[in-house]
Each structure stands twice: as structure tokens, then as C-alpha cells.
Amino acid sequence: MFPVPFLLLLLPLLLGPGSAAAAPAVTARTLAPCFSADLRPAVGSLVSAVGCSVLLTAPVQRGSGTVLWEYRVGSEEGVILSYAFPQPPSVSPLYEHRATFNESTLSLQVLLQQGDDGSFYRLRTQEETTAWFHLHVLEPLSPPRIEGSSLVKAGGNTKLVCHVLDGKADAFWWKKNGEPLPESDRIQLVRNTTLYILRVSISDSGYYTCAVRNAVSHNETSFLLKVHHSANVVLPVVLACVIIGMLAGVFVWWQRKEDSCDSCW
């Protein structure tokens, strides 16, 4: 039978690595306003947007030594800021003018930019160090642009193509006159970015909206489609009056209606 001290030494090995006390976890949340990003606090990782601010907090008590907020991007690690009471915080040039430190709570507020995507953050004191917190930073979507012909002839085919210039959309969908546009034998969608309308009819006239979304934003743009019969298309007519010889002082134009008579002038 093994002695008690030996069993106590074996206990961590028998229970596995998860038996050790876990490092304190960082909690973060996106601050309003921030497009349509989720504003609820998260532990471990968070998705936010370029141009928004994130508040990072940790359940670490103030120690007697220096407090450090650190970052990691790939294999690169560095210090965002260091703080030792009563001296003011020292901020890294990489985070200058966009990192705000709260000396009472030791929390860190960061204004996000594109280079922050995929970064990890942690708080370290002389007594303890938190686990790394993973931050995903997405670019908010710009209003989409719809390309296509706004005036089409009945009986033919047409298509509308939706593009997003800024940001990466996770989802595209179409609406007509504010209502969802389902597919049919005449209405076809290709990768949801291109809308084909086959055998166009007058009833297809209306406002077509392309809506886009990602984890932090939503946007949409509308396009007015007009369908006509060729016989009903009115083309502009130019009438020219040419005077040969003497210069006339007054020109008078009038239009005679089909049902008019000579006595009606």
C-alpha cells in the first residue's frame, strides 16, 4: 500500500491536466454604438468590428507590482501598456491614442482597427496571469451596389447583380417591394448574389432589394425595375423649324388632337 504523501504527489497525474487551477479568464464586450454587433459580454473570444471599442476586464486583484496588458499576434508578443501605482500608465506606440486604462478596475478599452483581427490579449500581474482572450475583428459592410438594366422589354430575360465593396458578406438575400423574393421557374438565384428573371412580364416591375449581412453589420440597397411592351415605349422626337430667306420674328408651335376639328382651333 502506498504512503499518503506519495498518493498526494500522484493525484495531479491521475486526475489529468484539467485538475490544476485554471487561469483567470478575461471577459470582453463591444461598446455601443457598433453597427449590429453583439453587445453581450463574452469569455474566451469575441467578434467585433473595425472602428468600434472593446472593453476587456479580468478578475485579477491589484498586486504590489507592475500590471501589464499584453497582446499576441501570430508569433509576435508585446506589451500594450504597463502600470505601477502611483505612476501613470505607459502605453505602447502601437496602441497610443486608442487604448484607455482604468486604474481602479484594471480594465482596458481598445479602439479596434483592421490589424487587430486575430489578436490575443491577457492581463499579467506579479501574482497571476489570465488566459489569452481571442479577438476577431471584421470590417462592417458598405451598402451593396446593384448592377443591371432598369428598363427591360417584356418577354425577354434580365439579371441583377449585387456587389459589396467594403467588408465580406456572410449572407445575401433578395426582396421585392419589401417582401422576401422566393425562387421559381422564372426567378433564379446564383450564389444569392445574382438574380435572374426569365420571360419578364409587366408584373415583374417593382423595387428589388439586395440585403447583405455579416456577424457585425447589415446593409441593403434597392433598385427600381421597369418592364414595358415595345409598343408602349415612347421615344423622344425632335422637331426642327428651318427658315430660308427672311428672318421671322415669332415662332408658334401647337399640337392638333386626333378628335379635334377645324372649328376647334
Side-chain angles (χ1 to χ4, degrees):
M1 186 172 183
F2 294 108
V4 173
F6 183 73
L7 290 175
L8 292 177
L9 291 175
L10 284 179
L11 188 58
L13 298 177
L14 296 174
L15 294 178
S19 62
V26 172
T27 300
R29 63 184 178 92
T30 301
L31 302 180
C34 183
F35 307 98
S36 57
D38 190 346
L39 303 182
R40 293 174 297 179
V43 177
S45 66
L46 178 73
V47 179
S48 193
V50 173
C52 297
S53 293
V54 165
L55 181 65
L56 300 142
T57 58
V60 175
Q61 301 299 320
R62 180 192 302 275
S64 58
T66 301
V67 175
L68 300 174
W69 272 102
E70 300 174 321
Y71 72 91
R72 185 181 76 198
V73 181
S75 59
E76 177 187 353
E77 292 188 18
V79 175
I80 299 174
L81 65 80
S82 61
Y83 170 69
F85 181 81
Q87 301 299 321
S90 176
V91 182
S92 164
L94 291 176
Y95 287 85
E96 194 173 7
H97 305 305
R98 66 186 189 96
T100 304
F101 179 69
N102 187 310
E103 300 177 13
S104 300
T105 62
L106 306 184
S107 62
L108 177 69
Q109 182 175 321
V110 180
L111 178 62
L112 302 178
Q113 58 187 25
Q114 285 184 330
D116 294 328
D117 184 35
S119 298
F120 290 83
Y121 300 88
R122 73 178 178 185
L123 176 64
R124 182 158 61 92
T125 67
Q126 185 175 350
E127 289 77 15
E128 57 186 337
T129 302
T130 69
W132 287 105
F133 186 93
H134 192 196
L135 189 62
H136 302 274
V137 182
L138 304 180
E139 187 173 1
L141 300 173
S142 62
R145 182 176 64 187
I146 300 177
E147 296 179 354
S149 177
S150 60
L151 184 63
V152 298
K153 180 181 177 181
N157 301 329
T158 190
K159 71 174 181 178
L160 302 177
V161 182
C162 184
H163 299 281
V164 176
L165 301 181
D166 298 321
K168 183 179 180 181
D170 297 328
F172 289 77
W173 69 96
W174 292 84
K175 297 182 287 185
K176 179 187 176 186
N177 296 331
E179 298 296 330
L181 182 63
E183 288 192 81
S184 66
D185 59 338
R186 293 195 313 107
I187 307 297
Q188 300 177 4
L189 298 175
V190 178
R191 293 188 297 274
N192 285 341
T193 61
T194 304
L195 170 65
Y196 286 94
I197 306 178
L198 309 179
R199 303 183 302 278
V200 177
S201 65
I202 296 297
S203 62
D204 292 319
S205 296
Y207 285 93
Y208 289 80
T209 300
C210 174
V212 294
R213 181 181 60 219
N214 65 10
V216 298
S217 62
H218 165 271
N219 228 320
E220 60 183 40
T221 297
S222 294
F223 182 94
L224 178 58
L225 178 67
K226 298 178 181 179
V227 182
H228 65 83
H229 292 297
S230 58
N232 294 336
V233 177
V234 179
L235 299 177
V237 176
V238 177
L239 302 177
C241 182
V242 180
I243 302 297
I244 301 177
M246 298 180 62
L247 180 63
V250 178
F251 292 89
V252 178
W253 290 87
W254 69 85
Q255 179 183 11
R256 182 174 181 177
K257 298 182 180 179
E258 294 181 357
D259 58 350
S260 60
C261 58
D262 293 339
S263 61
C264 299
W265 292 99

